[in-house]
Amino acid sequence: MTGPNPTDRAKLGTKRHLLTDGQGIPLSVVITAANTHDMKAATNTLDNIVVKRPYSKINKERQNLCLDKGYDFLEIENSVIKKGYCPHIPHRGEQTITNHFPRHRSRRWVVERTNSWHNRFRKLLVRYEKKLESYFVLVCLGCCIVIYRRIILG
């Protein structure tokens, strides 16, 4: 699962696709090759959620799912709606609105912060493992450590 990285002189690399909650706790991780488009991994990431949402007949509200402009495709939006989420996807070509309200947090920063927590683990920042299974286990272990630190340390 390595492919030529389009931004790094075609060196082999991988991507970690993360789905997090509002606090930055990872819910799902998928590993793909660096040259795989994000659109192809979006539905796979949603399918691999470790903790399933509780289904309630009383509460039929849709849960919000914030994605960035790279996921602005009709197929992704339809699959997200089919899974019971309310998608918030900015369209490509739109101007980014800056957040001037202090009470409202930025949506994108939560996932970037979780990626930064993963990059603090030296084994995850540079991939030395040849097998996908070994690297995926290390990524899952990194997720467990992140969750542990968030629960214990607050």
Side-chain angles (χ1 to χ4, degrees), residues 1-7 11-15 17 32-38:
M1 291 298 279
T2 59
N5 189 348
T7 61
K11 292 181 181 177
L12 295 180
T14 57
K15 283 186 189 176
H17 300 275
T32 60
N35 60 348
T36 305
H37 198 276
D38 292 339

Side-chain angles (χ1 to χ4, degrees), residues 83-137:
K83 292 184 186 300
Y85 293 100
C86 179
H88 297 280
I89 307 171
H91 299 291
R92 289 180 301 239
E94 281 184 358
Q95 188 70 11
T96 305
I97 300 171
T98 57
N99 193 358
H100 295 291
F101 302 106
R103 281 195 251 152
H104 300 285
R105 292 184 310 177
S106 177
R107 294 179 185 155
R108 178 81 175 136
W109 186 75
V110 176
V111 179
E112 294 298 329
R113 180 180 64 180
T114 307
N115 280 327
S116 174
W117 289 340
H118 275 118
N119 288 339
R120 289 184 187 172
F121 301 113
R122 187 174 182 189
K123 282 282 229 186
L124 298 183
L125 182 61
V126 178
R127 179 178 169 176
Y128 295 106
E129 287 72 29
K130 293 187 181 203
K131 292 185 178 181
L132 173 67
E133 295 84 13
S134 301
Y135 184 69
F136 184 69
V137 167

